[in-house]
Amino acid sequence: KERHTCRIILAVQPDLQPLLEQVPGIDGFVAPDDRASCAGVDVYCPLLSLPGALGETGDRDWTDVVPYLRPHPERAAEWRRRLAGEDGFRVGVVWQGNPRHPADWLRSFPLAALDPLRRLHGVRLISMQQGDGAEQLDGWAGIPPITPLGEDLDAATGRFEETAAVLASLDLLICADTAVAHLAGAMGRPVWLALGRAPDWRWGPAGDRTPWYPTVRLFRRQEMDDWPDLFARMAGELLAAGPGVRRRTADEYRLLDCGQNRLAQTHQGVMMYPRHDRYVGRSLELYGEFSPGETELLRQVVGPGMTVVDAGAHVGAHTLLLARRVGPEGVVHAFEPQPVLFHMLCANLSLNGWSHVVAHSVALGAEPGAAYLPSVDYGREGNFGGVALSDDPPGECVPVVTLDGLTLSACHFLKIDVEGMERAVLAGARETVRRHRPVLYVENDRAEHSAGLILLLMELEYRLYWHLAPLYSPDNYYGNPVNEFGHLVSANMLGIPCERKFPVVGLRPVSAADSRWDLPDRD
């Protein structure tokens, strides 16, 4: 009843003022730390205390009130013009809050978590990320492209006013719990908010709606590391609700045919691969991934800052994942002796910006020397990853080095996939293994070598577990329902140093009497 006898003054940051000037009923602005300007006020009330001061209980329907923030009409018209060429369902994304916030690790997610959205045709992703986190766009390549607007918003005089103008042209905002979510909610724009397991108190402990903003939908993460599941749910909702949205087909991920090789968007990034390769190339061609069971294990045991060795890297199907997992503070040493595959490995590392991977065009062995690569016709179908080196000619001579010869200052994880030369690699890595005690992931798919390999690893004091990874997954990156590999698996062993209390669940231990696994088909 007293509204018309009051003057309302907002104490806000300067970059908020241009936006709030559009709100009717505001009589003036002061800086939050300008105590002199607030000296004559009758009532001072923090913004989030207003609902309680006004007697609001949280059960009111605010639909008739929202929107209460609006963009400047001229700026909104300018952004509608600029975004008119962004065909499809326009989705703005913000993934990183202020990293200096003590709870930021609970709310922010990596840009890569949005991967399920990349699999949708008809969705156009538009980055509104400003400042911290925007550097993750450097590793975002391929299909679909993402339109970066962060620098334009950073450069604007009124960042929030400019952000509001962009939001007015979007169909949906998907974001972490940041100020942009509140801005979009106050504007009445559709928002899907990705919440961590312990969200801010404003969103409550349960439910997918909030009394603050009727157009905001809450997606809650149930476990500490299940961002992928959360965004898979969002992708499913977009499929059901987004006009013209569908899953991409494998053909839509191809970027370039170049003779006997192809370039495509895959689960791990943009990759060049030999299209006649029976296993790795064929998997990338049909499913956009290779041996997803191996990928999942690597994801669990490799983390930021680690030093990793990938012996037998092929074209980098797993190397790219390892590079992402260790991050810029870590390092990956990737060894691939086949020149044709090594060149593609280097191309894939460059295409994805992984400068912290050291690629070695040599083979690892028991002692320095040379080995011979048999003739391979990469223009005809073959298992290029299954080519074994020989101690004697004929063939192309390739250098052999030992892992000990690198004198690594650290080694946290050692992956060995070298077609029967696993014992030789370990023999040349004894000092590295003794000093650093890395977790091991060793291929064991040759019955004639299996018993000796197992005994050697046990002599090195490792607990061993069989890991039989199917080459096909129904939940593959391309969503391809056709299984061309049947029950074929990659047969490997996970090795944990005996002195480490490292829990292993769901894998069968390897005994000294084992000579092979118990599945008939293998890669």
Side-chain angles (χ1 to χ4, degrees), residues 4 19 25 57 70 72 99 121-122 124-125 234-235 247 305 325 356 384 397 417 419 428 449-450 458 474 485 507 518:
H4 294 291
L19 173 68
T57 61
R70 293 172 176 82
H72 192 284
H121 173 86
R124 188 67 176 183
L125 299 178
M234 286 190 180
R247 293 195 184 277
R325 293 297 298 167
H356 57 288
F384 306 149
C397 184
D417 181 355
E419 308 311 312
H449 299 311
S450 182
M458 289 182 171
F485 294 119
L507 299 184
D518 55 4

Side-chain angles (χ1 to χ4, degrees), residues 32-339:
D33 55 354
D34 187 355
R35 296 188 178 185
S37 299
C38 297
V41 302
D42 298 298
V43 177
Y44 176 84
C45 187
L47 190 62
L48 289 181
S49 297
L50 279 175
L54 297 175
E56 296 292 346
T57 61
D59 55 359
R60 175 180 172 179
D61 181 1
W62 292 89
T63 306
D64 60 332
V65 178
V66 175
Y68 52 85
L69 292 183
R70 293 172 176 82
H72 192 284
E74 290 184 6
R75 298 309 305 150
E78 171 63 16
W79 277 107
R80 280 195 296 272
R81 183 190 65 78
R82 288 183 60 175
L83 295 176
E86 303 292 337
D87 297 330
F89 194 73
R90 294 191 287 258
V91 179
V93 291
V94 178
W95 56 91
Q96 174 70 62
N98 183 350
R100 289 161 288 283
H101 189 285
D104 184 64
W105 66 279
L106 290 170
R107 63 174 180 170
S108 295
F109 53 84
L111 174 61
L114 295 173
D115 206 54
L117 306 182
R118 304 181 74 176
R119 310 184 201 184
L120 303 179
H121 173 86
V123 171
R124 188 67 176 183
L125 299 178
I126 297 172
S127 168
M128 304 178 68
Q129 183 67 44
Q130 302 176 50
D132 293 301
E135 73 282 352
Q136 296 179 38
L137 286 167
D138 295 340
W140 185 287
I143 300 172
I146 185 168
T147 302
L149 303 182
E151 290 187 2
D152 291 340
L153 300 178
D154 266 333
T157 303
R159 291 189 302 160
F160 282 96
E161 182 185 36
E162 204 74 359
T163 301
V166 174
L167 288 169
S169 298
L170 301 180
D171 298 299
L172 175 67
L173 172 70
I174 293 178
C175 66
D177 182 8
T178 70
V180 183
H182 293 275
L183 173 58
M187 292 175 61
R189 304 301 300 162
V191 180
W192 288 0
L193 184 59
L195 293 178
R197 194 178 177 201
D200 186 81
W201 64 269
R202 296 171 182 84
W203 310 116
D208 63 354
R209 294 294 177 181
T210 170
W212 307 106
Y213 310 115
T215 60
V216 172
R217 184 174 175 189
L218 309 178
F219 287 77
R220 298 179 184 271
R221 186 175 63 161
Q222 300 304 315
E223 303 295 337
M224 291 305 293
D225 197 28
D226 68 350
W227 287 121
D229 290 342
L230 184 150
F231 289 103
R233 279 189 281 138
M234 286 190 180
E237 296 283 347
L238 281 174
L239 275 172
V245 177
R246 60 170 174 79
R247 293 195 184 277
R248 295 180 182 274
T249 65
D251 288 344
E252 290 176 302
Y253 290 94
R254 290 181 188 162
L255 301 172
L256 182 67
D257 281 339
C258 36
Q260 61 197 21
N261 303 321
R262 282 206 171 111
L263 188 70
Q265 173 68 49
T266 74
H267 196 181
Q268 302 307 330
V270 177
M271 289 197 69
M272 180 182 293
Y273 57 88
R275 61 189 181 95
H276 298 299
D277 186 12
R278 187 178 300 145
Y279 295 114
V280 178
R282 189 67 174 159
S283 294
L284 295 172
E285 174 94 352
L286 295 176
Y287 310 117
E289 61 189 21
F290 173 67
S291 195
E294 292 184 343
T295 298
E296 177 59 23
L297 185 143
L298 298 179
R299 190 185 68 81
Q300 293 182 45
V301 299
V302 175
M306 286 187 175
T307 296
V308 170
V309 174
D310 185 3
H314 202 273
V315 299
H318 292 329
T319 315
L320 297 185
L321 169 70
L322 295 171
R324 179 176 289 110
R325 293 297 298 167
V326 304
E329 301 303 317
V331 62
V332 178
H333 289 273
F335 293 82
E336 178 48 57
Q338 295 187 57

Side-chain angles (χ1 to χ4, degrees), residues 444 447 449-456 458 464 466 493 508-518:
N444 185 358
H449 299 311
S450 182
L453 179 59
I454 292 170
L455 289 174
L456 172 59
M458 289 182 171
L464 303 176
W466 287 112
M493 296 184 300
R508 179 167 63 86
V510 179
S511 73
D514 281 353
S515 62
R516 55 179 292 123
W517 53 100
D518 55 4

